[in-house]
């Protein structure tokens, strides 16, 4: 069954695009190249009413009156009309992912991520800035180390990727210190809130202004909030005034959280309005069950903002998983794979193309838990509703830094967009009727077969003509084109096959079609050049797997492949003039590319197995190298690929055994001396310790505590050195009558509340002990211990940042840092916290990328929590990827675990090991390791 929009179509002059959608399941076949003998195009001709030799040039003009270009802000290098952006006077369809640099705190690895962005055909990346890390305390703005922006801008410019900067994140967009020190309402025009954010925003301006498009850089800026009440809108005015009073000239954009009509116009309205959409929301428990499709947002956009392009600053790219059911030791293993399935390639096919059908031309794939590259919520930075892993269906997997089937689907979409500039300006015509039954029910099993009435330069046709039908296998969408121009002078009359690539290579017009091998496809086009042996109507029978050369002349090259094979091809952008600062940006500084396939990105890449390399390039190329080594050509295979500019060779992966050490030799120290009677707390985020003093009369029976640490937080309580649990109250034998008694509490802080649009002060909801009462008597004093140095500028570990350490004794002493010599000892069976430290050495050969993870290999369900340094509060998961640059791949590494045993006399036997996730020949080059060493200063 088709959904409610079975025949969306849009047009640009004489070029027509139909978007067809069905809700069932798409099949992906990964097999060796093979072509059934009966699948080649046969000698078929057009119906008698069609003349394939007809002149294609005289076509009726059906374009609507153009909307004058609007200048977004103070530069004519960024403009827009009601269709799309113009960058340097080039119309651009912004197709972007999202990348949080602070979740990959190794700047040396950022170019690898941005090269993957470009290799997939995307042209932009949206980047959050973690205000809490950059601005950890009043007056401190720190863009050093992993907080730096310049390495990101440099990598983006080198890759040819635009940057959409989002300066607010963490508790809805503010540094944690502001939740305690700002009296006024957060995220309003309150005077003290304005004074709090101004140094941070000025820091963003200073870092970004030299990297704007007006200075040859890659950056563009946006934000999110609600326009009412008035002090919200005035807050936006304050922000805009700060930018406009500076060197920032690129547009300020906005993300409306749902279609709520915020900031379209009126007080605080930005240059560009956009809205977000998460059509499948965030419940991954039943990943194959989809929510009903909602109506197209096109009508909303036309109603509220028709003069500007349709912009999605946030569109669902993944989904999140939450903590399991409450109860000690009962947290379930996270359901990441469910989220991957729910927002997988089928989701992208249906919902991404639904945005196209709504005439959206600016689209950023994001999710607060599933983006382009996933990464890790290091230290204490997570939102308290989730845990350490940020990998909920990202296109690039953090564990192996490798591409996924979602990456493949996004690449097929992106390459079509890059090849189809006429699609950047289309007029939405209607939700047309094709005779299909209409349904919004996401049927996961149905197959829809239909024919479509299309307008062509030869008149209206019902297609396909010879194939039985257009088929949608389940949850699948297709773009059906007619009068589609490609290359310098060629045109498709129509095609029910999908377009992967269209362009010009070495003077020849090249068209690369693809389709599912279980379906029939068909294309009609005027073929030119010599030889003339293939008819103009090209049917593709079911069963085609691998690559086939359909037409190979001196004027044109036409290829067809199954969907999986098409995804193994790449089309790197060939840089333009060396003096052009935008030489790496597609359509702005270069319109030249080549085609090649297998493994990734450019002729510098990674291999995990030996493969054939096929290249379609200018015929003048005589030598092909891979990672600096010459590739030997197979002349026969090259000629079979194409007679002009083809090259086929073999990439042989060098066998390399890489063995990671088994972790052992753990050293232990008790990290909760605070429960001992002799502990001196006179000098007394993440983990916080509380000590409450009272003089006991001997009659105390109960203790009532009110605490808050965020969702899924835990707390353990001792009276003097006696452990209390949820069913064990204080005993008179535990108290020292007439003397000082101490209640010791250890709790974890899971992060602050997100700033609610209706209650910006929601982030001020306090963590810690909020109430305390003895049944008789009173406390004399309370003391609290957090991270050493607090949030002021005096904390010693600036390298890893303010969120990396908590208040455990071992953290305060720096036991987790390389170079600290812990003494020997073994833990007993009591509840408490111990520090375990060991070292291991790595020696990974140069020229190889070997992703690794720390894995807890014991059975689930043991009542403990750990802090794994440098990962952080690990949550209910067992595998934690740690990248090169955090690990020293050519030296000695220190790993520390703060183990919090939560019950006495209960076995806790964690088994932590380092595992190898893969080996890729090629690597990312020199990676800088910046791990702080232990020092007594400040400890």
């Amino acid at each position: 069954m088709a959904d409610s929009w079975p025949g969306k179509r849009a047009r640009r002059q004489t070029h027509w695009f139909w978007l067809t959608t069905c809700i069932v399941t798409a099949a992906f076949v990964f097999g060796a190249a093979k072509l059934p003998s009966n699948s080649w195009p046969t000698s078929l001709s057009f119906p008698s009413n069609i003349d394939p030799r007809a002149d294609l040039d005289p076509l009726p003009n059906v374009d609507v009156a153009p909307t004058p270009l609007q200048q977004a802000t103070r530069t004519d290098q960024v403009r827009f009309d009601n269709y799309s952006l113009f960058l340097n006077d080039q119309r651009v369809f912004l197709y972007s992912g999202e990348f949080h640099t602070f979740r990959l705190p190794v700047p040396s690895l950022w170019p690898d991520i941005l090269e993957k962005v470009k290799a997939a055909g995307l042209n932009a990346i949206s980047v959050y800035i973690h205000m809490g890390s950059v601005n950890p305390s009043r007056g401190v703005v720190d863009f050093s180390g992993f907080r730096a922006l310049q390495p990101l801008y440099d990598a983006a410019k080198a890759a040819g990727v635009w940057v959409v900067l989002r300066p607010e994140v963490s508790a809805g967009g503010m540094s944690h210190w502001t939740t305690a020190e700002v009296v006024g309402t957060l995220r309003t025009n309150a005077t003290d809130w304005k004074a709090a954010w101004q140094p941070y925003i000025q820091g963003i301006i200073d870092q970004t202004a030299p990297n704007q498009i007006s200075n040859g850089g890659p950056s563009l800026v946006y934000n999110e909030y609600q326009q009412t009440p008035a002090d919200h809108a005035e807050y936006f005015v304050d922000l805009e005034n700060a930018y406009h009073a500076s060197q920032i000239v690129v547009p300020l954009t906005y993300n409306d959280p749902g279609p709520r009509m915020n900031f379209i116009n009126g007080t605080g309205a930005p240059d560009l309005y956009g809205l977000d959409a998460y059509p499948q929301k965030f419940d991954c428990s039943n990943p194959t069950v989809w929510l009903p499709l909602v109506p197209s947002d096109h009508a909303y956009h036309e109603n509220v903002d028709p003069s500007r392009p349709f912009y999605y600053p946030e569109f669902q790219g993944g989904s999140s998983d939450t903590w399991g059911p409450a109860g000690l030791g009962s947290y379930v293993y996270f359901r990441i794979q469910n989220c991957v399935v729910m927002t997988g390639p089928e989701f992208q096919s249906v919902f991404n193309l639904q945005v196209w059908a709504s005439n959206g031309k600016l689209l950023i794939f994001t999710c607060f838990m599933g983006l382009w590259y996933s990464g890790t919520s290091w230290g204490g930075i997570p939102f308290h509703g989730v845990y350490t892993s940020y990998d909920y269906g990202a296109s690039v997997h953090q564990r192996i830094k490798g591409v996924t089937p979602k990456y493949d689907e996004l690449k097929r979409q992106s390459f079509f967009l890059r090849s189809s500039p006429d699609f950047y300006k289309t007029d939405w015509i209607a939700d047309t009727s094709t005779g299909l039954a209409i349904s919004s029910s996401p049927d996961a099993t149905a197959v829809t077969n239909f024919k479509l009435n299309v307008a062509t330069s030869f008149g209206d046709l019902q297609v396909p003509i010879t194939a039985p039908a257009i088929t949608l296998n389940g949850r699948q969408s297709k773009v059906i084109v007619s009068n589609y121009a490609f290359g310098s002078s060629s045109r498709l009359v129509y095609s029910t096959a999908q377009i992967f690539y269209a362009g010009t290579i070495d003077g020849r017009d090249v068209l690369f079609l693809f389709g599912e091998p279980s379906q029939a496809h068909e294309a009609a086009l005027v073929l030119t050049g010599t030889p003339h042996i293939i008819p103009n109507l090209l049917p593709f029978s079911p069963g085609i797997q691998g690559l086939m050369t359909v037409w190979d002349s001196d004027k044109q090259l036409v290829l067809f492949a199954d969907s999986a094979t098409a995804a193994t091809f790449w089309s790197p952008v060939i840089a333009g003039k060396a003096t052009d600062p935008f030489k790496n940006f597609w359509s702005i500084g270069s319109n030249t590319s080549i085609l090649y396939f297998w493994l990734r990105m450019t002729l510098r890449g990674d291999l995990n197995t030996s493969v054939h390399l096929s290249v379609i390039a200018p015929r003048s190329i005589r030598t092909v190298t891979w990672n600096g080594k010459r590739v030997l050509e197979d002349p026969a295979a090259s000629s079979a690929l194409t007679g002009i500019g083809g090259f086929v060779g073999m990439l042989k992966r060098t066998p390399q055994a890489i063995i990671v050490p088994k972790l052992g030799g753990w050293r232990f120290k008790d990290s909760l001396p605070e429960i001992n009677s002799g502990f001196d707390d006179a000098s007394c985020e993440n983990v916080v310790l509380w000590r409450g003093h009272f003089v006991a009369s001997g009659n105390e029976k109960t203790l009532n505590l009110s605490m808050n640490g965020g969702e899924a937080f835990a707390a353990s309580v001792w009276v003097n050195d006696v452990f209390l649990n949820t069913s064990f109250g204080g005993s008179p034998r535990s108290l020292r009558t007439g003397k000082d008694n101490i209640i010791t509490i250890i709790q974890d802080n899971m992060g602050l509340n997100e700033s609610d649009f209706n209650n910006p002060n929601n982030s001020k909801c306090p963590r810690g002990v909020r109430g305390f009462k003895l049944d008789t008597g009173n406390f004399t004093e309370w003391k609290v211990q957090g991270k050493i140095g607090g949030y002021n500028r005096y904390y010693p570990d600036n390298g890893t940042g303010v969120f990396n350490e908590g208040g455990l004794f071992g953290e305060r002493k720096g036991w987790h840092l390389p170079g600290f010599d812990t003494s020997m000892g073994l833990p007993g069976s009591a509840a408490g916290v111990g520090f375990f430290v060991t070292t291991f050495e790595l020696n990974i050969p140069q020229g190889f990328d070997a992703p690794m993870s720390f894995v807890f290999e014991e059975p689930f369900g043991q009542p403990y929590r750990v802090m794994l340094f440098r990962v952080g509060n690990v949550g209910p998961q067992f595998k934690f990827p740690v990248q090169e640059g955090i690990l020293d791949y050519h030296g000695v590494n220190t790993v520390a675990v703060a183990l919090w045993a939560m019950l006495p006399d209960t076995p806790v036997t964690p088994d932590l090991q380092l595992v190898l996730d893969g080996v890729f020949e090629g690597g990312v080059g020199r990676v800088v390791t910046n791990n702080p060493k232990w020092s007594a200063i400040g400890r």
Side-chain angles (χ1 to χ4, degrees):
M1 301 293 287
D3 70 6
S4 300
W5 308 276
K8 302 177 173 71
R9 67 180 184 182
R11 64 181 178 183
R12 158 66 167 103
Q13 296 182 349
T14 57
H15 313 293
W16 290 79
F17 303 86
W18 283 261
L19 288 101
T20 59
T21 302
C22 178
I23 311 302
V24 256
T25 295
F28 286 82
V29 178
F30 298 87
K34 58 182 180 179
L35 186 64
S37 59
N38 63 353
S39 64
W40 287 92
T42 55
S43 298
L44 298 172
S45 60
F46 285 98
S48 58
N49 64 323
I50 298 178
D51 180 6
R53 297 171 299 280
D55 184 2
L56 291 178
D57 291 329
L59 295 167
N61 183 6
V62 295
D63 198 10
V64 298
T67 299
L69 287 177
Q70 304 173 52
Q71 188 165 311
T73 46
R74 295 171 295 156
T75 175
D76 60 4
Q77 291 176 280
V78 184
R79 297 186 293 169
F80 58 86
D81 60 11
N82 58 318
Y83 296 103
S84 71
L85 279 179
F86 281 78
L87 302 179
N88 281 4
D89 292 325
Q90 294 291 315
R91 191 180 289 280
V92 172
F93 191 127
L94 193 75
Y95 218 48
S96 170
E98 187 168 291
F99 173 41
H100 300 170
T101 55
F102 56 88
R103 300 193 196 281
L104 182 63
V106 184
S108 301
L109 297 179
W110 297 349
D112 180 61
I113 300 301
L114 293 179
E115 287 175 0
K116 288 184 173 74
V117 170
K118 186 62 172 290
L122 300 178
N123 58 7
I125 199 76
S126 171
V127 178
Y128 277 94
I129 308 301
H130 196 285
M131 182 183 180
S133 294
V134 171
N135 180 212
S137 60
R138 187 184 295 275
V140 177
V141 178
D142 183 1
F143 285 100
S144 66
F146 72 92
R147 297 165 288 266
L149 288 180
Q150 194 59 50
L152 170 73
Y153 292 144
D154 292 343
K157 185 174 180 179
V161 173
W162 303 108
V163 175
V164 179
L165 197 66
R166 189 169 188 176
E168 290 194 8
V169 71
S170 177
M174 73 253 349
S175 298
H176 287 196
W177 65 268
T178 65
T179 66
E181 297 186 28
V182 173
V183 177
T185 302
L186 303 174
R187 304 188 84 188
T188 68
N189 62 344
T191 302
D192 55 349
W193 167 241
K194 181 177 181 180
W197 60 254
Q198 280 181 319
Y200 168 71
I201 292 298
Q202 186 59 50
I204 295 290
I205 291 170
D206 294 342
Q207 294 289 313
T208 302
N211 294 283
Q212 298 173 98
I213 185 174
S214 54
N215 294 320
S219 65
L220 303 165
V221 185
Y222 86 88
N223 214 324
E224 172 185 31
Y225 203 32
Q226 183 165 298
Q227 197 170 15
T228 56
D231 55 4
H232 290 200
E234 292 296 336
Y235 167 48
F236 260 44
V237 171
D238 289 342
L239 284 170
E240 291 164 356
N241 288 342
Y243 287 118
H244 291 159
S246 74
Q247 300 80 27
I248 295 295
V249 297
V250 294
L252 305 179
T253 70
Y254 169 72
N255 174 49
D256 195 355
R260 303 180 185 180
M261 295 188 288
N262 288 297
F263 292 110
I264 296 171
N265 47 45
T267 303
D271 301 305
L272 278 175
Y273 167 82
L275 68 153
D276 66 18
Y278 294 88
Q280 290 305 307
K281 303 191 184 301
F282 309 109
D283 182 0
C284 300
S285 57
N286 295 294
T288 62
V289 178
W290 281 8
L291 297 173
L293 291 174
V294 297
S296 166
D297 285 321
H298 172 76
Y300 170 80
H301 172 72
E302 289 299 298
N303 182 50
V304 303
D305 195 33
S307 65
R308 292 182 289 190
F310 196 179
Y311 179 28
Y312 278 98
E314 289 188 21
F315 191 82
Q316 187 164 13
S319 190
S320 64
D321 184 39
T322 58
W323 291 81
L328 189 60
S330 65
Y331 294 116
V332 297
Y333 169 56
F334 59 107
R335 297 173 293 272
I336 283 180
Q337 190 57 40
N338 284 2
C339 297
V340 172
V341 171
M342 188 180 79
T343 60
E346 296 85 357
F347 171 91
Q348 293 175 306
S349 176
V350 171
F351 289 99
N352 294 2
L353 268 63
Q354 183 186 1
V355 173
W356 298 7
S358 298
N359 223 17
K361 305 299 185 189
L362 295 88
L363 182 60
I364 295 175
F365 298 108
T366 178
C367 172
F368 74 89
M369 288 298 152
L371 30 136
W372 173 256
Y373 171 82
S374 48
T376 293
S377 296
W378 303 91
I381 66 175
F383 167 65
H384 63 97
V386 296
Y387 39 91
T388 298
S389 175
Y390 216 74
D391 196 352
Y392 297 92
S395 295
V396 177
H397 197 292
Q398 65 163 335
R399 180 171 58 84
I400 59 172
K401 295 184 291 183
V403 301
T404 65
K406 292 183 66 172
Y407 183 102
D408 292 343
E409 172 60 25
L410 202 55
K411 182 171 72 169
R412 287 186 287 259
Q413 296 175 14
S414 300
F415 275 29
F416 166 78
L417 291 176
R418 202 180 79 177
S419 300
S420 309
D422 285 323
F423 192 61
Y424 305 172
K425 182 184 179 183
T426 56
D427 294 304
W428 190 91
I429 304 301
D431 290 334
T432 63
S433 172
T434 58
L436 296 175
I438 294 176
S439 171
S440 63
S441 175
D443 186 345
T445 59
V447 174
T448 301
N449 294 299
F450 63 97
K451 294 197 173 188
L452 186 68
N453 297 321
V454 300
T456 77
S457 55
F458 303 109
D460 292 340
L461 301 174
Q462 186 176 76
V463 299
I465 294 173
T466 61
I470 300 170
T471 300
L472 296 175
N473 281 353
R475 291 171 170 165
Q476 182 182 19
S477 294
K478 291 183 178 180
V479 178
I480 309 300
V481 304
S482 68
N483 293 342
Y484 178 86
F486 69 94
S488 61
S489 59
S490 296
R491 182 168 294 160
L492 267 170
V493 179
Y494 69 86
S495 177
T496 67
Q498 302 302 282
I499 296 170
F500 179 75
Y501 174 91
T504 302
I505 298 178
D506 199 23
R508 282 201 301 174
D509 295 345
V510 179
L511 179 67
F512 190 159
L513 303 172
F514 72 94
E516 293 299 318
S518 62
Q519 302 173 0
H521 312 279
E522 184 176 284
L525 69 159
V526 175
L527 298 171
T528 62
T530 56
H532 295 286
I533 57 173
I534 301 293
N536 293 9
L537 186 61
L538 306 175
F540 303 101
S541 303
I544 296 176
Q545 294 186 29
L547 176 69
M548 61 182 291
T549 302
V550 179
W551 176 249
D552 186 11
S553 76
D554 59 339
K555 300 294 185 182
Q556 292 176 321
L557 175 65
V558 180
L559 305 171
F560 181 87
D562 64 280
S563 300
T565 298
T568 66
F569 273 77
W570 310 86
S571 181
V573 173
I574 307 302
K577 295 180 181 179
T579 56
D580 185 352
F582 302 107
K583 60 181 179 292
N584 297 315
F585 290 81
W586 180 258
S587 82
I588 306 299
S590 172
N591 287 295
T592 305
S593 66
I594 62 173
L595 275 173
Y596 78 96
F597 87 97
W598 209 261
L599 276 171
R600 60 174 177 164
M601 282 174 295
T602 66
L603 299 183
R604 173 180 57 82
D606 294 351
L607 295 173
N608 63 356
T609 187
S610 297
V611 294
H612 282 94
L613 172 72
S614 296
V615 181
I616 299 170
R619 71 196 80 187
S620 59
I621 291 179
R622 294 290 182 263
T623 301
V624 174
T625 64
W626 180 266
N627 292 337
K629 297 180 181 179
R630 183 171 179 174
V631 181
L632 297 179
E633 183 181 9
D634 181 338
S638 298
S639 297
L641 175 63
T642 174
I644 303 173
F647 178 97
V648 177
M650 188 70 182
L651 300 180
K652 295 183 178 180
R653 179 182 176 274
T654 304
Q656 180 65 53
I658 295 178
I659 300 175
V660 298
K662 183 176 178 61
L663 300 183
W666 293 94
R667 293 161 291 164
F668 169 79
K669 258 195 171 183
D670 176 46
S671 188
L672 197 62
E674 289 88 349
I675 66 173
N676 298 324
S677 59
F679 182 81
D680 183 7
D681 61 9
S683 58
C684 275
E685 213 104 292
N686 302 347
V687 171
V688 180
L689 286 105
W690 303 83
R691 301 189 92 218
H693 294 250
F694 66 97
V695 176
S697 65
N699 296 320
E700 294 82 358
K701 303 293 184 183
T702 62
L703 167 67
N704 185 295
L705 295 170
S706 174
M707 302 183 66
N708 186 7
E711 185 175 344
F713 88 102
S716 297
V717 183
W718 287 258
V719 55
N720 299 321
D721 60 353
V722 176
F723 174 73
L724 309 179
N725 60 34
T726 54
S727 61
F728 178 72
S731 165
R733 293 189 299 272
S734 304
L735 303 179
R736 298 188 293 268
T737 303
K739 298 181 180 180
D740 185 40
N741 292 262
I742 302 172
I743 296 293
T744 301
I745 305 168
I746 177 176
Q747 71 156 112
D748 47 8
N749 184 344
M750 307 303 290
L752 298 184
N753 290 352
E754 189 173 13
S755 176
D756 186 85
F757 297 122
N758 296 317
N759 178 20
N761 276 339
N762 192 44
S763 296
K764 291 184 178 181
C765 181
R767 301 295 188 245
V769 177
R770 304 174 64 176
F772 48 88
K773 181 176 177 58
L774 295 166
D775 60 334
T776 179
N778 297 299
F779 284 92
T780 57
E781 63 176 340
W782 278 90
K783 296 185 177 181
V784 60
Q785 177 66 64
K787 67 180 276 79
I788 192 74
Y791 281 96
N792 293 317
R793 64 188 70 192
Y794 305 110
Y795 57 88
D797 186 4
N798 182 62
T800 53
V802 71
F803 289 95
N804 193 60
E805 294 179 358
L808 291 175
F809 187 82
E811 291 179 283
R812 305 197 311 264
K813 296 299 182 182
W815 295 353
H816 57 294
L817 297 175
F820 188 88
D821 185 17
T822 55
S823 63
M824 296 179 63
L826 292 174
S829 60
V833 180
F835 245 78
F836 294 80
V837 181
T838 192
T839 60
F840 60 92
E841 187 171 359
L842 294 174
N843 186 19
I844 307 302
Q846 296 288 348
F848 287 87
D849 190 6
M852 300 181 195
S853 297
F854 287 100
V855 178
F856 287 88
E857 297 186 340
E858 78 282 358
F860 288 111
Q862 297 185 23
Y864 72 85
R865 291 191 174 190
V866 298
M867 296 285 289
L868 175 63
F869 293 91
R870 290 174 42 188
V871 176
N873 191 344
V874 296
Q877 62 185 88
F878 68 85
K879 190 165 190 173
F880 304 92
V882 180
Q883 291 78 22
E884 182 180 5
I886 296 173
L887 291 178
D888 186 346
Y889 274 28
H890 309 283
V892 177
N893 295 268
T894 298
V895 58
V897 175
L899 175 65
W900 177 1
M902 306 180 79
L903 290 176
D905 303 318
T906 301
V908 172
T909 57
D911 181 13
L912 179 64
Q913 296 299 332
L914 183 67
V915 301
L916 186 66
D917 292 321
V919 177
F920 299 88
E921 183 179 5
V924 296
R926 182 174 179 268
V927 177
V928 177
T929 301
N930 182 25
N931 289 323
K933 305 296 183 183
W934 180 84
S935 171
I937 299 175
R939 303 228 178 242

